[in-house]
Amino acid sequence: TKHVPNRQRQLKKLLRNIIKSQMTDTSNLARNLWDYFKKADVDGSGRIEFKEFTLIMAMAGLDSKKMGGRDMLHELFRLCDKDGNGNVDFNEFLKVIVGNVVSF
């Protein structure tokens, strides 16, 4: 539906603004996110599920309240989960989060 791409644009804009306001040094952004990713990946699989994803987002100061609710976090997780298998590796995660910040 037309609703979904518009919602994704809205979500990316919100994410970009929040991250930029909190992390002025984007060169450290990937390193910080990697540290958060490792902490949240408690089983050491190199992949995170939605629950672990929410932990990373909270560590980065991007909890569900700041992101516009849990639905928006689910939408962001789906954007990261390109292959749709229900979990996200760091590269998938980084492309959406950092790519969104650095490319604009």
Side-chain angles (χ1 to χ4, degrees), residues 54 56 69 84:
T54 61
I56 293 171

Side-chain angles (χ1 to χ4, degrees), residues 32-69:
N32 291 341
L33 291 173
W34 174 242
D35 290 341
Y36 301 153
F37 193 94
K38 288 188 299 185
K39 288 176 187 173
D41 181 20
V42 292
D43 65 359
S45 68
R47 303 189 68 78
I48 56 169
E49 295 176 355
F50 181 72
K51 183 178 178 181
E52 295 164 317
F53 176 79
T54 61
L55 290 174
I56 293 171
M57 299 307 282
M59 285 185 251
L62 302 167
D63 60 26
S64 62
K65 285 183 183 179
K66 284 191 178 175
M67 293 303 297

Side-chain angles (χ1 to χ4, degrees), residues 6 11-12 19 28 30 37 42-43 47 51-52 54 57-58 60-64 67 70 78 80 89 91-92 98 101:
N6 192 31
L11 179 61
K12 286 181 178 183
I19 289 177
N28 285 327
F37 193 94
V42 292
D43 65 359
R47 303 189 68 78
K51 183 178 178 181
E52 295 164 317
T54 61
M57 299 307 282
L62 302 167
D63 60 26
S64 62
M67 293 303 297
R70 196 163 173 87
R78 284 191 290 273
C80 293
D89 66 29
N91 288 329
E92 289 174 317
V98 174
V101 174

Side-chain angles (χ1 to χ4, degrees), residues 12 15-20 23 26 29 33 94-104:
K12 286 181 178 183
L15 176 67
R16 180 174 58 249
N17 290 339
I18 292 171
I19 289 177
K20 279 188 174 181
M23 297 183 161
T26 56
L29 180 58
L33 291 173
L94 196 64
K95 282 178 188 174
V96 171
I97 305 300
V98 174
N100 185 47
V101 174
V102 174
S103 65
F104 289 93

Side-chain angles (χ1 to χ4, degrees), residues 2-16:
K2 290 182 180 183
H3 166 85
V4 172
N6 192 31
R7 184 175 174 156
Q8 289 178 355
R9 278 192 297 278
Q10 175 188 3
L11 179 61
K12 286 181 178 183
K13 183 178 179 182
L14 175 65
L15 176 67
R16 180 174 58 249

